[in-house]
Amino acid sequence: MKSKQEILTALAHSDSERLLLAGLLDKEQVCTQRGYLTHTKFLDLNERAKCAEAVRLCGASGHALFWGGYEDAERGVYLFYPDYLDEDGARASAPLALLRAHKHPGDKLTHRDYLGALMGLQIDRSVVGDILVHEAGADILVLEEMADFILLHFERAGRKHISLTREALANIKAAACERKEGSGSVASPRLDSIAALIFGLPRREAQERIEKGLVFLNHIPCLRPERQVSEGDRLTVRGAGRAQVESLGGTSRKGRIFVRYIKTV
């Protein structure tokens, strides 16, 4: 178990990362000392990876979890929960609200339209989680503390009129996304090779994206193009979508490895 200062020295490489991790560790300490649920604001994938490592180093993995309101959420909060709660209880107690944006059937609104309009309300990105765009509009995860403000002021997105309702988290609608099954072969199960195959990228471009921190393996940024990918692993490439490796094995006559995957865009 590392001290707060040791963790900050090891993981924080900028002032913003230091503030993020110091706040996270303070939340963990308050939970431990005072015995009630604490939480961060919404984290993106890079922040999530940093916080996950800090949680591991401080020995808090047994009473911490990442939760965005539904399974496989990209953005979420870190929850620290006391002994009288288990993981299900912590999720149920998380201070998250689901707001549903209803649009006119003929209007076409994108994720960017909703997010841009929300940022136009002069609120911080960290109080808004995933925005799941679907046929009727969008389901938007927000911190409970901001829900009433957004309900009162969020009336337009992309110059189109919308209306908002508060919904139970259990009724969340999945985003309208396209799932494609695909297959192919690679010379080796390296991350750059698998990413290039699935997302239709030249291998050099896949390597560059990995080295820039734009590729996530199981929700954690991976900067090593040579990292081996396994069956069941999830890949996210910023701007290109997400995918899961369904099977990996068997070889062609030329010794290439067969890959089956499901891609979400």
Side-chain angles (χ1 to χ4, degrees):
M1 183 183 301
K2 301 290 186 181
S3 69
K4 178 179 179 179
Q5 188 55 51
E6 288 173 329
I7 294 171
L8 294 178
T9 299
L11 299 181
H13 304 305
S14 66
D15 289 343
S16 61
E17 288 183 353
R18 188 176 184 85
L19 286 171
L20 170 70
L21 296 177
L24 173 88
L25 296 171
D26 287 345
K27 297 290 186 183
E28 190 278 331
Q29 188 174 43
V30 168
C31 173
T32 301
Q33 293 180 349
R34 301 185 183 180
Y36 59 78
L37 184 96
T38 59
H39 65 92
T40 66
K41 292 190 175 182
F42 281 103
L43 308 170
D44 62 26
L45 287 173
N46 283 305
E47 293 168 334
R48 173 183 178 178
K50 283 281 183 182
C51 289
E53 182 62 10
V55 166
R56 185 187 70 81
L57 290 176
C58 78
S61 299
H63 64 276
L65 63 88
F66 179 85
W67 180 237
Y70 67 103
E71 295 298 330
D72 290 331
E74 185 168 297
R75 293 176 63 84
V77 302
Y78 245 106
L79 299 170
F80 297 101
Y81 52 95
D83 293 340
Y84 61 82
L85 289 177
D86 57 13
E87 288 192 0
D88 288 340
R91 292 187 183 97
S93 302
L96 306 182
L98 171 61
L99 305 182
R100 180 162 295 157
H102 305 268
K103 68 177 183 65
H104 188 276
D107 292 339
K108 294 182 178 180
L109 294 172
T110 66
H111 183 282
R112 180 176 294 184
D113 292 324
Y114 291 108
L115 179 59
L118 283 165
M119 296 302 96
L121 299 178
Q122 304 301 308
I123 61 177
D124 195 86
R125 181 67 177 99
S126 64
V127 304
V128 180
D130 283 359
I131 300 172
L132 306 175
V133 180
H134 47 72
E135 293 180 356
D139 278 18
I140 304 168
L141 280 302
V142 302
L143 290 182
E144 177 61 49
E145 65 194 55
M146 292 300 300
D148 287 342
F149 175 85
I150 294 172
L151 281 166
L152 182 63
H153 296 285
F154 192 26
E155 298 177 338
R156 290 182 176 275
R159 298 184 179 181
K160 303 295 185 180
H161 181 76
I162 60 170
S163 61
L164 285 185
T165 56
R166 182 192 286 263
E167 306 290 336
L169 275 174
N171 296 331
I172 193 166
K173 288 185 177 181
C177 56
E178 186 176 359
R179 288 168 57 87
K180 292 183 177 179
E181 294 187 10
S183 62
S185 64
V186 292
S188 71
R190 288 168 49 114
L191 179 58
D192 56 353
S193 297
I194 298 290
L197 168 68
I198 293 176
F199 297 99
L201 302 171
R203 186 170 171 186
R204 181 58 194 160
E205 183 178 342
Q207 291 173 345
E208 290 173 352
R209 293 196 186 201
I210 293 167
E211 291 165 355
K212 290 178 181 178
L214 301 177
V215 178
F216 298 80
L217 183 61
N218 297 322
H219 307 299
I220 297 174
C222 182
L223 304 179
R224 295 169 47 213
E226 73 278 8
R227 172 70 181 273
Q228 298 292 291
V229 175
S230 301
E231 190 171 297
D233 281 349
R234 296 174 181 269
L235 279 71
T236 301
V237 177
R238 281 283 173 83
R242 297 191 245 181
Q244 180 168 356
V245 178
E246 293 291 290
S247 66
L248 185 63
T251 56
S252 69
R253 292 181 179 179
K254 295 183 179 180
R256 293 176 64 84
I257 300 170
F258 294 118
V259 182
R260 285 196 311 107
Y261 57 87
I262 295 178
K263 179 182 174 183
T264 304
V265 294

